[in-house]
């Protein structure tokens, strides 16, 4: 009975916030790209010198790298928020993620790699949303059910978002950690398989928001300390994953999910 009340409460919340939720989701999702693009502007020389020193690629290529990151990320954010050429913007941001993964040697750091893949999952969901918006323009035209690419994008997006939570599991014997791991694991499995998806995703949003504000409080660390930049990076990356989960809450799990299959039973 309590479970049903929770479900009713979450459905009521969704009805009230339906028109605002996708906008909030998109804003959260692009926040890490927006912050990183602005950082490239303010730390132009530091970023250029780092790439030049790490890869020995020379002044010109290092400058091109920073310029591409700056224009690619800020341009992509503007297009996504203005709802113009969203698919091209998503592909551009996918490219930026791949470029940074190689350039900053994230490939060899499993935690950062999983977080970057989770970010890619959020972009996949945004891509799926933009496809459904395109379809809705032709609402009167008969179709052969939901398009397969969109369904599989939503599935891929959900599964990749889950990787973010794998980096938050703590392997120590305290009761609180064990409880947090068990609840967290149960919720990420529900989101991945698409069962009670909206409720599970909404619960993860609240959990992740609390963890983000508590552990990544970069505003409490002086700006000159390296930890300030590290926590800021973590904060905005986590905010982007929250945006991806809010898209799951707003749009549902898509066709390849247990929630959808239940309707057929």
């Amino acid at each position: 009975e309590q479970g049903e009340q929770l479900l009713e409460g979450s459905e009521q919340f969704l009805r009230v916030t339906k028109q605002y939720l996708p906008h909030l989701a998109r804003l959260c999702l692009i926040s890490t790209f927006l912050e990183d693009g602005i950082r490239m502007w303010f730390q132009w020389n530091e970023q250029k010198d780092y790439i030049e020193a790490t890869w020995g690629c020379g002044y010109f290529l290092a400058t091109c790298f920073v310029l591409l990151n700056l224009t690619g990320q800020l341009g992509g954010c503007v297009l996504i928020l203005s709802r113009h050429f969203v698919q091209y913007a998503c592909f551009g941001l996918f490219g930026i993620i791949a470029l940074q993964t190689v350039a900053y040697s994230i490939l060899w750091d499993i935690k950062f790699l999983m977080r970057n893949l989770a970010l890619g999952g959020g972009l996949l969901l945004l891509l799926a949303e933009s496809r459904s918006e395109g379809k809705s323009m032709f609402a009167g035209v008969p179709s052969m059910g939901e398009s397969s690419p969109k369904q599989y994008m939503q599935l891929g997006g959900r599964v990749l978002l889950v990787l973010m939570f794998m980096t938050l599991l703590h392997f120590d014997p305290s009761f609180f950690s064990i409880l947090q791991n068990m609840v967290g694991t149960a919720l990420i499995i529900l989101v991945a398989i698409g069962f009670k998806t909206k409720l599970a995703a909404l619960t993860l949003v609240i959990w992740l928001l609390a963890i983000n504000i508590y552990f990544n409080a970069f505003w409490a660390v002086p700006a000159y300390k390296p930890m300030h930049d590290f926590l800021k990076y973590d904060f905005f990356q986590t905010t982007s994953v929250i945006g991806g989960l809010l898209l799951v809450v707003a749009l549902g799990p898509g066709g390849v999910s247990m929630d959808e299959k239940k309707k057929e039973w």
Side-chain angles (χ1 to χ4, degrees), residues 55-218:
W55 292 96
C57 58
Y59 175 86
F60 177 73
L61 284 176
T63 303
C64 287
F65 173 83
V66 178
L67 185 64
L68 182 63
N69 271 277
L70 191 152
T71 54
Q73 290 184 106
L74 295 183
C77 291
V78 169
L79 289 175
I80 285 166
L81 289 179
S82 64
R83 315 301 298 132
H84 291 106
F85 305 107
V86 174
Q87 296 189 23
Y88 296 110
C90 287
F91 286 125
L93 293 175
F94 276 127
I96 297 285
I97 291 174
L99 189 64
Q100 289 191 354
T101 301
V102 175
Y104 294 110
S105 305
I106 290 169
L107 211 54
W108 316 120
D109 186 321
I110 194 71
K111 182 182 173 183
F112 281 111
L113 180 62
M114 287 170 93
R115 288 189 173 198
N116 266 17
L117 287 169
L119 207 50
L123 286 176
L124 263 181
L125 290 168
L126 197 55
L127 205 53
E129 185 212 16
S130 71
R131 283 180 68 94
S132 67
E133 279 186 350
K135 293 280 190 292
S136 68
M137 290 164 65
F138 308 102
V141 181
S143 67
M144 300 291 290
E146 199 178 5
S147 63
S148 288
K150 185 196 161 193
Q151 289 184 27
Y152 291 110
M153 276 180 205
Q154 287 179 282
L155 172 65
R158 289 199 322 268
V159 171
L160 286 174
L161 276 181
V162 159
L163 294 176
M164 179 71 185
F165 297 92
M166 305 298 283
T167 68
L168 297 174
L169 299 176
H170 297 288
F171 299 101
D172 60 70
S174 70
F175 173 75
F176 180 72
S177 281
I178 292 167
L179 183 67
Q180 186 179 307
N181 287 350
M182 285 171 67
V183 173
T185 303
L187 288 169
I188 61 180
I189 289 169
L190 289 177
V191 169
I193 63 173
F195 183 68
K196 305 282 185 198
T197 318
K198 290 187 176 186
L199 180 60
L202 192 57
T203 310
L204 280 175
V205 164
I206 295 161
W207 181 46
L208 200 50
L209 193 61
I211 285 174
N212 204 21
I213 291 167
Y214 183 75
F215 287 110
N216 295 327
F218 67 90

Side-chain angles (χ1 to χ4, degrees), residues 9-30:
S10 68
E11 290 295 335
Q12 193 176 347
F13 168 81
L14 289 174
R15 276 194 293 274
V16 173
T17 60
K18 192 175 182 182
Q19 66 185 109
Y20 309 109
L21 209 53
H23 299 293
L24 178 63
R26 286 191 288 270
L27 184 61
C28 288
L29 188 53
I30 57 115

